Amino acid sequence: MKSNYTGLWLLLTLALSVIVSFSFSDDFSVGGWTIKKAPVAETLFTEPDESALEMLDCDLLPEQEIAHVEIEIDSVPKNIFLFGDSMTFNLALRLAKYAKQNGHQFHAVNWDSSNTKIWAETDTLSHYLTLYKPDYIFISLGSNEVYFKNPSTRLPYVKKILERLGDTPYVWIGPPNWNEDTGINDMLESTCKKGSFFRSQGMEFKRKKDKIHPTRESSALWIDSIMRWMPKSSHPILASEPSDSIGKVNANVVFLKALNK
């Protein structure tokens, strides 16, 4: 018994044959009308655009396989300013030696028990930025917010601090976690300019009796790690390790009283 659809299949086959045949022919005109061929042949047999393939391949490359673009080190001596919480003092002692070794000037402000909210809501930062006129800044904040249940509430304060820095290059030194945080490091890293956040989480520290603050020696190694990372930052500066002969250096640290807020 013949299928009821035999005629329909024959008609569709004929139509397809006409379309394919026409795709390999030139355009033709009928009664003033020009019928353009379908681009079937070109699609099937044209060589792919190599530049387009290169772009596609680049998009598909894993991020780690894309060549790292080295940023030229800024060889101009800087006026460095470090500010932050009680982690700041021991960091300043070592950073001041790097400054002297590399021809930088250095000042620091250590504000015990401070956090991003305090620095954002007071005029303290604006005062010292005006006083020291730094052209490179290190920030040590976040340690007093490691335990916060919802660190995203500190986001407006972090943004306000960064806004006050303007276009001045900076490195935000992440807190030296003594236990697992609730997201403060992730929030800081995602908010800071790419290449401007140093994640200290995961590093090993020798700590004081409070089991929170790194010792002076461990803080010095902390700074050493940051300076070795410096070439990978968004704005690398001269960071040669201080020589043994450099001796004692005045870190020019200002101490502010604790303000619980």
Side-chain angles (χ1 to χ4, degrees):
M1 179 178 176
K2 291 185 177 181
S3 170
N4 294 332
Y5 296 101
T6 301
L8 178 59
W9 282 114
L10 289 173
L11 181 60
L12 290 175
T13 302
L14 178 61
L16 179 60
S17 299
V18 172
I19 293 172
V20 173
S21 298
F22 179 58
S23 70
F24 288 89
S25 64
D26 295 329
D27 301 342
F28 67 91
S29 301
V30 178
W33 292 87
T34 299
I35 301 176
K36 293 187 173 292
K37 65 177 182 179
V40 175
E42 288 82 350
T43 302
L44 291 175
F45 299 109
T46 301
E47 290 292 331
D49 185 353
E50 292 185 1
S51 61
L53 287 177
E54 289 175 359
M55 292 178 63
L56 179 61
D57 290 343
C58 182
D59 290 340
L60 294 178
L61 279 175
E63 183 177 350
Q64 62 270 25
E65 293 184 12
I66 299 176
H68 174 69
V69 179
E70 292 290 342
I71 302 175
E72 185 176 354
I73 294 177
D74 186 347
S75 60
V76 178
K78 299 299 175 186
N79 185 6
I80 297 174
F81 175 47
L82 164 66
F83 71 91
D85 52 34
S86 55
M87 302 291 175
T88 303
F89 175 59
N90 281 336
L91 292 175
L93 295 178
R94 182 62 171 169
L95 192 52
K97 288 192 173 185
Y98 272 91
K100 184 174 182 179
Q101 178 71 41
N102 292 277
H104 308 304
Q105 293 184 351
F106 182 78
H107 292 87
V109 173
N110 179 106
W111 197 349
D112 285 347
S113 300
S114 66
N115 52 45
T116 56
K117 186 174 188 289
I118 291 174
W119 281 93
E121 290 189 337
T122 63
D123 62 356
T124 304
L125 179 56
S126 296
H127 168 73
Y128 285 106
L129 289 176
T130 300
L131 179 64
Y132 297 135
K133 296 178 175 57
D135 49 18
Y136 204 94
I137 296 173
F138 288 87
I139 307 164
S140 176
L141 285 173
S143 294
N144 292 314
E145 290 146 299
V146 165
Y147 51 84
F148 272 40
K149 291 182 178 179
N150 188 8
S152 61
T153 59
R154 313 305 264 187
L155 179 60
Y157 307 127
V158 174
K159 287 184 175 180
K160 192 168 184 179
I161 290 172
L162 295 179
E163 286 174 2
R164 287 183 180 171
L165 304 187
D167 296 328
T168 305
Y170 67 90
V171 171
W172 193 303
I173 304 171
N177 288 40
W178 53 95
N179 55 32
E180 193 66 30
D181 66 55
T182 56
I184 186 68
N185 278 285
D186 291 339
M187 184 273 285
L188 288 172
E189 185 167 19
S190 63
T191 307
C192 290
K193 179 182 177 182
K194 185 176 181 180
S196 296
F197 178 76
F198 181 85
R199 184 180 283 261
S200 308
Q201 180 186 26
M203 296 178 65
E204 294 185 3
F205 296 94
K206 291 183 179 180
R207 301 181 189 267
K208 297 180 179 180
K209 292 181 180 180
D210 62 8
K211 297 182 179 180
I212 293 177
H213 293 80
T215 63
R216 182 169 297 183
E217 294 76 13
S218 194
S219 295
L221 295 175
W222 188 7
I223 285 292
D224 289 346
S225 296
I226 295 169
M227 299 313 253
R228 285 194 299 270
W229 164 85
M230 179 62 70
K232 300 178 181 178
S233 69
S234 62
H235 193 115
I237 60 174
L238 295 174
S240 297
E241 186 174 356
S243 62
D244 294 337
S245 61
I246 199 168
K248 291 185 178 181
V249 176
N250 185 358
N252 297 317
V253 181
V254 173
F255 293 92
L256 301 180
K257 295 182 179 180
L259 176 63
N260 296 319
K261 191 173 182 181

